[in-house]
Amino acid sequence: MTDPTFQAPSILLVDDESFSQDIVSHGLKSCGPHTFHFTQEPATAVELARQVAATIVLVDMRMPGMDGFELTRRLRADKETQHVAVIILSAEDNPDMKAGAFDAGASDYLVKWPDPRELNARVLYHSNACVARRQLDAAFDSLCRSQEELAASQSALLQSQKMEAIGQLTGGVAHDFNNVLQIIGGNLQLLKLSDAVKEAGKIRVDTALTGVRRGAELASHLLAFARRQPLQATVTNPAHLLREMHGMTRRMFGPSPDVVTEIAHDLGNILVDPNQLHNVLLNLAINARDALCGRGTLRIRAVNVGPGEALPLNMSEGRWVAIEVADDGKGMSPEIMARAFEPFFTTKPLGQGTGLGLSMVYGFVKQSNGEIVLSSEPGKGTSVTIYLPRNDAEPVPQEIPVASRLEGGPETILVVEDEENVRLSTCASLSLLGYQVLQASSAAAAADMIRSGQQVDLVFTDVIMPGPLTSLQLGEVVRACLPQAQVLYTSGYAEGVLAHEGRLHEGVDLLRKPYDVGTLSARIRHLLKRRASGTEPAGA
């Protein structure tokens, strides 16, 4: 332990007799470096002791208006002077007086006038004790702050680990769930397309397919929270999305609540999946509407945040686009805020929410290399701000194939899928569309077929499959052996074909599971037409 560093004593003398100033100051000449202050007004002594940062106060016992005992009690009662050393100076060498002084809180009692050597020794001793106490208090306060910061860090770490563990669990469940939905949905669509089902039966099939779509949405939210959803990120300016969101919310919410949208005129570009960003903003707007209960204001605001500008704690400086969705509704308590991002946690009545909205937002933002800040106060409202890194590249227009009608062709398609029931239903659907269909249960088997000289126009392959060859490596085989062939990947899980944090390699085309026949038909025709035009060969 290091020795305390003592400062020069700061001495305050309080005495109604002015001559005492000369006596005491003369006696302190051999005290070494010190500062000396004097007042004849005991009523102002506490304030003066604070101003001069006194380490010791010498108090005359007998003063008009206030005696030394009362002044000592006042010094002890003040937070800033409670540990200042107090020495009572009295002409009375009376044991009862001395006991009374110590009862009032005095540090020492000296009979006027003490020898300078005794005065200096006692002043230095008590002043050093005061300084040591202050240093000890400062160290204790620093330790308490460090412990609080450590506890906060540990709590944040535990929360992060809990969220990661939940994410891994929900991601794995959602991946398997998507395959199950694909089997159910694929066979229901085949049943609907067949001539064996009457109109009444088709209505029931449509009802079942609605359930499949709801399940797909649930799985998508789980994967978003787990940061395992495949993101097709492109450089986008979010201003047009926010303007669309303003119009959509006005139509959805009606005349109340009010919707106010503020977009910076020079709002920067960001690298995100625009469809997922749209879903995120819609989720936040719906949560805000529910919190407003039909009144108040929903505010959507987007601005640039640059280096040197104010940022929330734990965020690094940089160039961000901040998008805030705020309401002045009922707000959240700290206990609810602590669990707001957990999947399936909701405060809504049974049947009015899955509890996946904010968890999906959280996962998407983290997967997009962004940050999310939630602030709320009961009775005053809630604000959710997402920060996404700015990107200097120009926005890329999206090609979005639309499934207006089922369309097939005579081309040859190789379906690569390890889940047999998924593979069989997909092959049957493509056969109904007129395609020549080949199938393989692994990437290695598909690669052998291609290397053998089999002509294929498009390879439709799952992302996650067992075996020594990955789907990405299969794509490389296709590019080497059949440079004009297209590759369409499918997955409900952001691993394998995905390069980093759920972002697809440039030029990779991905169809999310579960998909329907119409979407599959549109994507395949889009890629085959692109092949015919000679643009963007497979896996470019």
Side-chain angles (χ1 to χ4, degrees):
M1 181 176 177
T2 58
D3 294 331
T5 302
F6 296 119
Q7 66 187 54
S10 176
I11 304 166
L12 171 62
L13 173 63
V14 186
D15 197 320
D16 60 313
E17 299 289 353
S18 59
F19 68 84
S20 63
Q21 179 181 5
D22 297 329
I23 295 174
V24 173
S25 62
H26 178 75
L28 292 170
K29 282 185 177 181
S30 59
C31 185
H34 68 277
T35 57
F36 182 75
H37 311 274
F38 174 72
T39 181
Q40 293 177 281
E41 301 293 335
T44 63
V46 174
E47 176 61 28
L48 183 57
R50 287 199 296 261
Q51 291 176 4
V52 303
T55 59
I56 187 164
V57 180
L58 304 174
V59 180
D60 183 32
M61 181 61 225
R62 302 291 185 185
M63 293 181 290
M66 185 185 304
D67 63 16
F69 290 172
E70 178 59 24
L71 177 54
T72 299
R73 282 190 283 267
R74 292 191 180 189
L75 287 166
R76 291 288 175 254
D78 187 90
K79 186 177 181 180
E80 293 184 41
T81 62
Q82 60 181 333
H83 298 308
V84 172
V86 179
I87 299 180
I88 298 289
L89 296 174
S90 175
E92 303 172 58
D93 189 5
N94 184 313
D96 292 334
M97 292 289 290
K98 293 179 181 180
F102 290 120
D103 286 341
S107 308
D108 210 339
Y109 186 99
L110 285 175
V111 178
K112 293 182 178 179
W113 293 102
D115 183 279
R117 289 170 297 180
E118 182 182 5
L119 176 64
N120 291 337
R122 291 179 183 263
V123 163
L124 286 174
Y125 174 81
H126 289 298
S127 177
N128 288 342
C130 174
V131 171
R133 176 59 185 263
R134 287 176 177 173
Q135 291 175 344
L136 180 63
D137 288 347
F140 181 75
D141 290 342
S142 176
L143 178 62
C144 289
R145 286 193 299 272
S146 297
Q147 289 179 328
E148 289 171 359
E149 291 170 0
L150 178 60
S153 298
Q154 289 174 332
S155 176
L157 177 61
L158 289 173
Q159 179 70 5
S160 174
Q161 290 172 335
K162 180 177 75 172
M163 297 286 271
E164 183 64 27
I166 295 174
Q168 290 177 356
L169 174 63
T170 54
V173 169
H175 170 244
D176 292 339
F177 190 42
N178 272 330
N179 272 337
V180 172
L181 290 174
Q182 186 60 57
I183 294 169
I184 298 171
N187 283 283
L188 284 171
Q189 290 165 64
L190 285 172
L191 188 62
K192 184 179 178 181
L193 291 172
S194 71
D195 296 329
V197 181
K198 298 179 181 179
E199 285 303 316
K202 289 183 178 181
I203 293 174
R204 292 187 179 276
V205 169
D206 286 335
T207 302
L209 286 171
T210 300
V212 170
R213 285 190 288 273
R214 289 180 62 184
E217 182 180 349
L218 176 66
S220 175
H221 286 177
L222 285 170
L223 288 168
F225 166 74
R227 289 175 261 175
R228 301 291 192 275
Q229 65 173 341
L231 295 181
Q232 294 183 296
T234 60
V235 178
T236 304
N237 190 291
H240 76 280
L241 282 175
L242 294 167
R243 283 188 282 268
E244 288 178 4
M245 184 61 58
H246 177 85
M248 180 183 295
T249 52
R250 292 302 315 127
R251 292 190 297 273
M252 288 173 55
F253 299 167
S256 184
D258 294 332
V259 179
V260 177
T261 302
E262 303 170 0
I263 305 172
H265 71 278
D266 59 345
L267 192 66
N269 300 328
I270 52 179
L271 182 64
V272 293
D273 185 323
N275 293 326
Q276 293 301 321
L277 178 60
H278 179 274
N279 290 339
V280 161
L281 295 175
L282 183 60
N283 265 290
L284 293 177
I286 290 173
N287 279 349
R289 177 204 63 184
D290 294 344
L292 288 167
C293 301
R295 58 184 180 274
T297 301
L298 164 63
R299 190 176 301 276
I300 303 172
R301 188 175 69 97
V303 295
N304 297 321
V305 180
E309 297 186 52
L311 285 170
L313 293 175
N314 303 323
M315 269 192 67
S316 58
E317 282 198 0
R319 300 170 63 249
W320 302 89
V321 170
I323 303 175
E324 179 188 24
V325 179
D327 65 73
D328 53 6
K330 55 189 177 183
M332 289 185 276
S333 67
E335 293 76 19
I336 292 176
M337 280 183 62
R339 300 189 61 192
F341 292 128
E342 293 182 13
F344 301 113
F345 176 77
T346 180
T347 58
K348 296 178 182 178
L350 185 65
Q352 294 187 20
T354 62
L356 287 171
L358 277 179
S359 63
M360 183 271 285
V361 173
Y362 173 88
F364 166 78
V365 172
K366 291 295 186 180
Q367 197 173 350
S368 301
N369 295 327
E371 296 292 341
I372 184 167
V373 177
L374 172 66
S375 60
S376 186
E377 189 173 341
K380 294 188 176 180
T382 300
S383 167
V384 180
T385 305
I386 60 177
Y387 293 85
L388 297 167
R390 289 179 65 179
N391 193 293
D392 292 328
E394 289 299 314
V396 178
Q398 280 191 294
E399 292 183 274
I400 305 176
V402 179
S404 56
R405 61 187 177 86
L406 292 180
E407 186 177 359
E411 293 89 353
T412 300
I413 297 177
L414 172 58
V415 177
V416 188
E417 169 66 64
D418 64 299
E419 183 74 44
E420 182 180 9
N421 290 326
V422 175
R423 186 174 70 251
L424 292 176
S425 64
T426 301
C427 290
S429 297
L430 293 173
S431 295
L432 280 176
L433 295 173
Y435 293 109
Q436 301 298 312
V437 182
L438 304 173
Q439 56 179 292
S441 60
S442 68
D448 289 341
M449 292 175 63
I450 292 169
R451 291 191 185 105
S452 71
Q454 175 67 55
Q455 289 301 306
V456 173
D457 298 295
L458 183 142
V459 176
F460 183 46
T461 177
D462 189 25
V463 170
I464 302 174
M465 290 181 293
L469 202 69
T470 68
S471 55
L472 269 179
Q473 292 169 328
L474 173 59
E476 293 171 0
V477 172
V478 174
R479 286 197 300 274
C481 299
L482 300 170
Q484 293 304 310
Q486 297 293 302
V487 177
L488 176 60
Y489 296 94
T490 182
S491 179
Y493 201 55
E495 287 186 2
V497 71
L498 306 171
H500 181 62
E501 295 182 348
R503 297 190 179 186
L504 299 176
H505 286 289
E506 185 179 355
V508 167
D509 290 285
L510 181 110
L511 179 61
R512 291 187 181 91
K513 287 182 178 178
Y515 48 82
D516 58 36
V517 176
T519 304
L520 177 61
S521 165
R523 289 296 294 274
I524 287 177
R525 291 316 307 168
H526 172 74
L527 291 175
L528 290 175
K529 287 174 182 177
R530 188 170 73 183
R531 168 180 177 267
S533 67
T535 60
E536 299 186 46

